[in-house]
Amino acid sequence: MPAPQAFARTVRHPGLPEPERIVTLEGQAMQLDFTLEAGLNLRDAMSIPLSRAGLAGGTVRFANLPLSELHFLMPALAVDDQHAAFYSAPQAMEEGTLIEYACATYGRKDGEPFVHCHAVWRGRDGQRQGGHLMMDKTIVAAATPAQAWGLHDATMATRYDPETNFTLFYPTRLRDAPPAASGKRVVLARIRPDQDLTIAVEQACAAHGITHAIVRGSVGSIIGAEFEDGRVLDDRATEILIRSGEVRQGRGRLDIGLINPQGEVCEGVLARGVNPVLICFELVLEEQ
């Protein structure tokens, strides 16, 4: 295993690092436009139409979604040596919250649909905030369009990760399938800790011979952040999603939304080479 890159911001995980730092698989691209139906919790509002369409695993993006109930967690520092970071206690907001933008990883846990989602929203008072949505308790208030990208023969399935002491998503093949003869490919990936996020996205593309890709799925955490414009955030625990991301000719550009332990939102383009993943990063790439 090559020597790990040295970063200005780093944390220690409880377990030994796995040799394979970026786990990927590819398949023929599926894309679906669908509606998040009012009255359903967000997990069911996604999993029912995706299951009907035969999309087994991938990502969902949506924006301007009104909620009748919002339940969420925020990133938090660990209180012991069993994790590098953790979550806040559950929190809730009243009716009238509007999700500005969100990205969700769609997969399976114990064989059942499971969704991991980060979002930025505004409350009834206009205050902007973000965090990790509790999908089975957060309720859609009005029908809202959404988009999904993924694969029919693979998913993101949860399993225990000894390095971080969390149960995390892994790209998982469900059945044997021939490689796509033509058309776009989708790559599902999981990036492990202490990999610069931008470079890791580039490497995920390179592993599949892809020179131009759009980042469709992007749920995870990094250790603070350093932006292209010179801003540096020293928060150790974060939740992030990529607002827009692309790799062209092997070079990546990631414009992110980041949530700190106070629920505050910071946005901008990441500087390359200085932003290590904290716990994990779930990535879905669409070949262009």
Side-chain angles (χ1 to χ4, degrees):
M1 181 173 66
Q5 182 176 346
F7 293 101
R9 301 179 308 282
T10 188
V11 298
R12 183 172 181 174
H13 293 278
L16 295 175
E18 294 284 342
E20 188 179 17
R21 306 310 293 164
I22 304 172
V23 182
T24 70
L25 60 79
E26 68 167 66
Q28 187 169 4
M30 291 187 67
Q31 194 275 321
L32 180 67
D33 295 306
F34 68 102
T35 299
L36 299 168
E37 294 293 348
L40 296 178
N41 67 49
L42 261 178
R43 180 197 60 205
D44 293 346
M46 292 181 193
S47 63
I48 292 171
L50 295 187
S51 295
R52 287 173 179 165
L55 194 152
T59 190
V60 176
R61 285 189 175 269
F62 55 95
N64 300 316
L65 173 68
L67 299 174
S68 56
E69 291 184 50
L70 169 62
H71 295 260
F72 63 98
L73 309 171
M74 291 189 298
L77 296 174
V79 297
D80 54 34
D81 60 359
Q82 298 304 302
H83 301 91
F86 210 70
Y87 293 109
S88 71
Q91 302 187 43
M93 293 182 70
E94 73 284 357
E95 185 176 2
T97 301
L98 180 77
I99 291 184
E100 287 189 4
Y101 61 90
C103 188
T105 303
Y106 174 69
R108 296 184 183 181
K109 181 177 182 179
D110 300 326
E112 297 297 324
F114 190 72
V115 186
H116 179 200
C117 184
H118 291 172
V120 171
W121 60 81
R122 289 187 186 273
R124 182 180 292 173
D125 59 1
Q127 182 177 346
R128 202 160 184 246
Q129 194 175 346
H132 167 113
L133 301 188
M134 300 176 72
M135 302 295 284
D136 59 337
K137 296 182 178 181
T138 296
I139 308 299
V140 177
T144 302
Q147 289 184 297
W149 294 264
L151 301 175
H152 75 280
D153 61 343
T155 192
M156 298 290 272
T158 62
R159 74 170 80 152
Y160 175 68
D161 177 56
E163 180 178 351
T164 62
N165 196 27
F166 282 103
T167 296
L168 302 172
F169 271 135
Y170 283 79
T172 303
R173 187 74 67 187
L174 296 175
R175 64 185 74 89
D176 292 333
S182 61
K184 296 179 180 179
R185 292 174 290 169
V186 158
V187 173
L188 306 183
R190 181 269 173 96
I191 302 168
R192 288 191 165 104
D194 295 322
Q195 311 304 299
D196 173 73
L197 182 56
T198 304
I199 293 175
V201 172
E202 296 167 357
Q203 291 173 336
C205 284
H208 295 269
I210 295 174
T211 59
H212 184 195
I214 301 294
V215 176
R216 299 301 189 187
S218 57
V219 181
S221 57
I222 56 177
I223 306 172
E226 185 170 336
F227 293 95
E228 275 192 346
D229 61 13
R231 288 174 296 150
V232 178
L233 303 180
D234 287 326
D235 292 298
R236 298 290 158 159
T238 71
E239 303 275 21
I240 79 164
L241 64 161
I242 294 173
R243 298 192 298 171
S244 64
E246 188 172 16
V247 175
R248 280 185 178 270
Q249 300 301 318
R251 193 77 172 186
R253 183 181 187 275
L254 307 179
D255 185 338
I256 73 159
L258 177 148
I259 300 100
N260 71 6
Q262 291 72 48
E264 298 166 337
V265 179
C266 185
E267 296 162 326
V269 177
L270 285 179
R272 185 177 184 274
V274 291
N275 287 292
V277 170
L278 172 58
I279 302 298
C280 71
F281 197 85
E282 300 151 10
L283 176 70
V284 178
L285 297 165
E286 183 189 35
E287 183 179 27
Q288 299 299 295

